[in-house]
Amino acid sequence: MPATSTELALKALAIATRFNDPVHKMARANDLVNIYSKSERGSERHVKYLRIANRALMDICKNYDRSLKDRYKSISRKLAPLEKYELLLCNTKLKIAKYTAENEISNARYELEEAKKLYEKNKNSSLEESVRILSWEIAKVERKISKIEAGKKS
């Protein structure tokens, strides 16, 4: 019986984790995020893999120079520019904030603030379309969190 895409992504994520390869860990976690966003958007599993991708992206951004040098043994092409990974991290943090706002408001607020810092750092990026979309998403998530916070105060 052929393996499902979920099973393959889980196995590949385990291998990337074993080899301490954040680039592939991020990629496989994003595969799982995409799978679960179609079937269980906002579920615990969906958020779990968003958080795994978040940690991998934070590792890539923090150790970008080492990443360029080591290339994690299995990367056959060059890494994307750091700003691209930072914008991906910003987007991932926004998704975590969006999906955890109902149950984890303080964590959602924290992730939103971190996303805003990354956005500010990269808002003059050459990746104009990504920056424009992130600007819109930040405003949308901020409204959602503010609405939830206002509802909890009353």
Side-chain angles (χ1 to χ4, degrees), residues 51 93-94 96-117 141-142 144-150 152-153:
R51 286 185 169 138
K93 287 184 171 299
L94 283 171
I96 292 170
K98 179 179 176 181
Y99 296 126
T100 61
E102 296 286 334
N103 301 320
E104 303 172 31
I105 193 70
S106 61
N107 183 58
R109 173 61 68 187
Y110 172 79
E111 294 293 353
L112 174 63
E113 295 305 320
E114 291 296 306
K116 286 163 78 173
K117 287 178 193 172
V141 173
E142 197 157 32
K144 179 179 181 173
I145 289 174
S146 295
K147 191 184 247 185
I148 291 169
E149 286 174 335
K152 289 189 178 198
K153 288 180 184 174

Coordinates of all heavy atoms in Angstrom, one line a residue, residues 51 93-94 96-117 141-142 144-150 152-153:
R51 N 4.3 25.7 14.7 CA 5.4 26.0 15.7 C 6.7 25.3 15.3 O 7.8 25.9 15.6 CB 4.9 25.6 17.1 CG 3.8 26.5 17.6 CD 3.4 26.2 19.0 NE 2.6 27.3 19.5 CZ 1.5 27.2 20.2 NH1 1.0 26.0 20.5 NH2 0.8 28.2 20.6
K93 N 4.7 33.4 12.2 CA 4.3 34.0 13.5 C 2.9 34.6 13.4 O 2.1 34.4 14.4 CB 5.3 35.0 13.9 CG 6.6 34.4 14.4 CD 7.5 35.5 14.9 CE 8.8 34.8 15.6 NZ 8.5 34.0 16.7
L94 N 2.5 35.2 12.3 CA 1.2 35.7 12.1 C 0.1 34.6 12.1 O -0.9 34.8 12.7 CB 1.1 36.5 10.8 CG 1.7 37.9 10.9 CD1 1.7 38.5 9.5 CD2 0.9 38.8 11.8
I96 N 0.4 31.7 13.6 CA 0.3 31.2 15.0 C -0.5 32.1 15.8 O -1.4 31.7 16.5 CB 1.7 31.0 15.6 CG1 2.5 29.8 14.9 CG2 1.6 30.7 17.1 CD1 3.9 29.7 15.2
A97 N -0.3 33.4 15.7 CA -1.1 34.4 16.4 C -2.6 34.3 16.0 O -3.5 34.3 16.9 CB -0.6 35.8 16.1
K98 N -2.9 34.1 14.8 CA -4.2 34.1 14.3 C -5.0 32.8 14.8 O -6.1 32.9 15.3 CB -4.2 34.0 12.7 CG -5.5 33.9 12.1 CD -5.3 33.9 10.6 CE -6.6 33.7 9.8 NZ -6.3 33.6 8.3
Y99 N -4.3 31.7 14.8 CA -5.0 30.5 15.2 C -4.9 30.2 16.7 O -5.7 29.3 17.2 CB -4.4 29.3 14.5 CG -4.6 29.4 13.0 CD1 -3.6 29.3 12.1 CD2 -5.9 29.6 12.5 CE1 -3.8 29.4 10.7 CE2 -6.1 29.7 11.1 CZ -5.1 29.6 10.2 OH -5.3 29.7 8.9
T100 N -4.1 30.9 17.5 CA -4.1 30.7 18.9 C -4.7 31.8 19.7 O -4.8 31.8 20.9 CB -2.6 30.5 19.4 OG1 -1.9 31.7 19.1 CG2 -2.0 29.3 18.8
A101 N -5.2 32.8 19.0 CA -5.8 34.0 19.7 C -6.9 33.7 20.6 O -7.1 34.3 21.7 CB -6.2 35.0 18.6
E102 N -7.8 32.7 20.2 CA -8.9 32.4 21.1 C -8.5 31.8 22.4 O -9.1 32.1 23.4 CB -9.9 31.4 20.3 CG -10.5 32.0 19.1 CD -11.6 32.9 19.3 OE1 -12.2 32.9 20.4 OE2 -11.8 33.8 18.5
N103 N -7.5 30.9 22.4 CA -7.2 30.1 23.6 C -5.9 30.6 24.3 O -5.7 30.3 25.5 CB -7.1 28.6 23.2 CG -8.3 28.1 22.7 OD1 -9.4 28.4 23.1 ND2 -8.2 27.3 21.6
E104 N -5.0 31.2 23.6 CA -3.7 31.6 24.1 C -3.5 33.1 23.8 O -2.5 33.4 23.0 CB -2.6 30.8 23.5 CG -2.8 29.3 23.8 CD -1.7 28.5 23.0 OE1 -0.6 29.0 22.8 OE2 -2.1 27.4 22.6
I105 N -4.3 34.0 24.3 CA -4.2 35.4 23.9 C -2.9 36.0 24.1 O -2.4 36.8 23.3 CB -5.4 36.2 24.5 CG1 -5.5 37.6 23.8 CG2 -5.2 36.4 26.0 CD1 -6.1 37.5 22.4
S106 N -2.2 35.8 25.3 CA -0.9 36.4 25.5 C 0.1 35.9 24.5 O 1.0 36.7 24.1 CB -0.5 36.2 27.0 OG -0.4 34.8 27.2
N107 N 0.1 34.6 24.2 CA 1.0 34.0 23.2 C 0.7 34.6 21.9 O 1.7 35.0 21.1 CB 1.0 32.5 23.2 CG 2.0 31.9 22.2 OD1 3.2 32.2 22.4 ND2 1.5 31.2 21.2
A108 N -0.5 34.8 21.5 CA -0.9 35.3 20.2 C -0.4 36.8 20.1 O 0.1 37.2 19.1 CB -2.4 35.3 20.0
R109 N -0.6 37.5 21.2 CA -0.1 38.9 21.2 C 1.4 39.0 21.0 O 2.0 39.8 20.3 CB -0.5 39.6 22.5 CG 0.0 41.0 22.7 CD -0.3 42.0 21.7 NE -1.8 42.4 21.7 CZ -2.3 43.1 20.8 NH1 -1.5 43.7 19.9 NH2 -3.6 43.4 20.8
Y110 N 2.1 38.1 21.7 CA 3.6 38.0 21.6 C 4.0 37.7 20.2 O 4.9 38.3 19.6 CB 4.2 36.9 22.6 CG 5.6 36.6 22.4 CD1 6.6 37.5 22.9 CD2 6.1 35.5 21.7 CE1 7.9 37.3 22.7 CE2 7.4 35.3 21.5 CZ 8.3 36.2 22.0 OH 9.7 36.0 21.8
E111 N 3.4 36.7 19.6 CA 3.8 36.3 18.2 C 3.5 37.5 17.2 O 4.2 37.7 16.3 CB 3.0 35.0 17.8 CG 3.4 33.8 18.5 CD 4.8 33.3 18.3 OE1 5.5 33.8 17.4 OE2 5.2 32.3 19.0
L112 N 2.4 38.2 17.5 CA 2.1 39.3 16.6 C 3.1 40.4 16.8 O 3.6 40.9 15.7 CB 0.7 39.9 17.0 CG 0.3 41.2 16.3 CD1 0.2 41.0 14.8 CD2 -1.0 41.7 16.9
E113 N 3.5 40.7 18.0 CA 4.6 41.7 18.2 C 5.9 41.3 17.5 O 6.6 42.1 16.9 CB 4.8 42.0 19.7 CG 3.5 42.6 20.4 CD 3.1 43.9 19.7 OE1 3.9 44.7 19.3 OE2 1.8 44.1 19.5
E114 N 6.3 40.0 17.6 CA 7.5 39.5 17.0 C 7.4 39.6 15.5 O 8.3 40.0 14.8 CB 7.8 38.1 17.4 CG 8.2 37.9 18.9 CD 9.5 38.6 19.2 OE1 10.5 38.3 18.5 OE2 9.5 39.4 20.1
A115 N 6.2 39.3 15.0 CA 6.0 39.4 13.5 C 6.1 40.9 13.1 O 6.7 41.2 12.0 CB 4.6 38.9 13.1
K116 N 5.6 41.8 13.9 CA 5.7 43.2 13.5 C 7.1 43.7 13.5 O 7.5 44.5 12.6 CB 4.9 44.1 14.5 CG 3.4 44.0 14.3 CD 2.5 44.4 15.4 CE 2.4 45.9 15.6 NZ 1.4 46.2 16.6
K117 N 8.0 43.2 14.4 CA 9.4 43.6 14.4 C 10.1 43.1 13.1 O 10.9 43.8 12.5 CB 10.1 43.0 15.6 CG 9.7 43.6 17.0 CD 10.4 42.9 18.1 CE 9.9 43.3 19.4 NZ 10.4 42.5 20.5
V141 N -4.8 40.4 11.8 CA -4.6 39.7 13.0 C -4.6 40.6 14.2 O -5.2 40.3 15.3 CB -3.2 38.9 13.0 CG1 -2.9 38.3 14.3 CG2 -3.2 37.9 11.9
E142 N -4.1 41.8 14.1 CA -4.2 42.8 15.2 C -5.6 43.1 15.5 O -6.0 43.2 16.7 CB -3.4 44.1 14.8 CG -3.1 44.9 16.0 CD -1.9 45.8 15.7 OE1 -1.7 46.2 14.5 OE2 -1.1 46.1 16.6
K144 N -8.2 41.2 15.1 CA -8.8 40.0 15.7 C -8.4 39.9 17.1 O -9.3 39.7 18.0 CB -8.4 38.7 14.9 CG -8.9 37.5 15.5 CD -8.4 36.2 14.8 CE -9.0 35.0 15.4 NZ -8.8 33.8 14.6
I145 N -7.1 40.1 17.4 CA -6.7 40.0 18.8 C -7.3 41.1 19.7 O -7.7 40.9 20.8 CB -5.1 40.0 18.9 CG1 -4.6 38.7 18.3 CG2 -4.6 40.2 20.3 CD1 -3.1 38.6 18.1
S146 N -7.3 42.3 19.1 CA -7.9 43.4 19.9 C -9.4 43.1 20.2 O -9.9 43.4 21.3 CB -7.8 44.7 19.1 OG -6.4 45.1 19.0
K147 N -10.1 42.6 19.2 CA -11.5 42.3 19.4 C -11.7 41.2 20.5 O -12.5 41.3 21.4 CB -12.1 41.7 18.1 CG -13.6 41.6 18.1 CD -14.0 41.0 16.8 CE -14.8 42.0 16.0 NZ -15.3 41.4 14.7
I148 N -10.8 40.2 20.5 CA -10.9 39.2 21.6 C -10.5 39.7 22.9 O -11.2 39.5 23.9 CB -10.0 38.0 21.2 CG1 -10.5 37.2 20.0 CG2 -9.8 37.0 22.4 CD1 -9.5 36.2 19.4
E149 N -9.5 40.6 23.0 CA -9.1 41.2 24.3 C -10.2 42.1 24.8 O -10.5 42.1 26.0 CB -7.8 42.0 24.1 CG -6.6 41.1 23.9 CD -5.3 41.9 23.6 OE1 -5.4 43.0 23.0 OE2 -4.2 41.4 23.9
A150 N -10.9 42.8 23.9 CA -11.9 43.7 24.3 C -13.1 42.9 24.9 O -13.8 43.3 25.9 CB -12.4 44.6 23.2
K152 N -12.9 40.0 26.3 CA -12.6 39.4 27.6 C -12.6 40.4 28.8 O -12.8 40.0 29.9 CB -11.2 38.7 27.5 CG -11.2 37.5 26.7 CD -10.0 36.7 26.8 CE -10.1 35.5 25.9 NZ -9.2 34.4 26.2
K153 N -12.4 41.7 28.4 CA -12.5 42.7 29.5 C -13.9 43.0 29.9 O -14.1 43.4 31.0 CB -11.8 44.0 29.0 CG -10.3 43.9 28.9 CD -9.7 45.1 28.3 CE -8.2 45.0 28.2 NZ -7.6 46.1 27.6

